Amino acid sequence: CTTPEDFPRSCLVIDDNLQKAQFVELRDGRLVPGKTIRLIRDKFNKKKLELDGEGVAFSKGFFYVIGSHGHPRKNKKVDPDKLDARIKARSQIVRFRAEDGSVAKIEPTSNLKKVIADVPALKDFIDQPLDKNGVTIEGIAIKDDKTLYAGFRGPVLKDDEGKSRAVVLSAELDALFDGGAAQHKLFRLPLGQGRGVRDLAAFEGGILILAGPAADEPGTY
């Protein structure tokens, strides 16, 4: 939402199976659906490819939607070219400014994947399936209007004692969209054995983390 308090609030809802997001108005006790907005136009053989949007944030007048940057599920017999196209479509962050019911230019960037590739602890997990501990982002938060935090469901890393460490990666927001070299930092968090990040939210100067199972097996949140 554009504001964390009072009503009504202008908000954005995303769906990981679509190319679109939807505006909603949050009133005291109910949601009022609004217009939809198309975030990406990626296709393969004229068929739409999903962004696999997993997180949404708002900062300085802009909505930000992050794709999973992950390998699609159940793709043992998929055409390699189609698989590459699907991963490329998911490996984006999209931002736009919404004012007075109209939407300014949609700005996508794939530069976060380049940042991930520069992190030695993460690069070997790029384009790997989730069941092989592959890169899958499920949270986004923006702090101080200048730093983007991406929360990873996978990979879950191991420390020197073999204990699980969930991953959050921060990067300079403007550099990601301007094409510059984004300063970044890797956080390894003790969220519990086998747990990764399932969502992030900026809150009162810090960041809230929803932790949950990294794999598809049952586990606690």
Side-chain angles (χ1 to χ4, degrees), residues 155-221:
V156 174
L157 306 178
K158 300 290 185 180
D159 64 14
D160 293 338
E161 298 178 354
K163 295 181 179 179
S164 291
R165 291 292 182 264
V167 173
V168 172
L169 180 66
S170 69
E172 290 179 303
L173 187 59
D174 288 342
L176 287 174
F177 283 89
D178 294 343
Q183 296 294 316
H184 54 274
K185 182 177 180 180
L186 183 70
F187 299 85
R188 303 171 189 240
L189 307 177
L191 302 185
Q193 197 65 21
R195 285 201 194 107
V197 175
R198 305 302 289 266
D199 205 0
L200 296 177
F203 182 72
E204 293 186 350
I207 295 177
L208 296 176
I209 301 173
L210 174 62
D216 285 333
E217 288 76 16
T220 57
Y221 287 79

Side-chain angles (χ1 to χ4, degrees), residues 26 40 42 44 46 60 71 81 93 128 138 168 183 208-209 216:
L26 176 61
I40 65 171
D42 297 60
F44 183 82
K46 299 182 179 181
K60 291 183 70 175
H71 188 292
D81 291 335
I93 306 170
Q128 295 298 313
E138 287 204 0
V168 172
Q183 296 294 316
L208 296 176
I209 301 173
D216 285 333

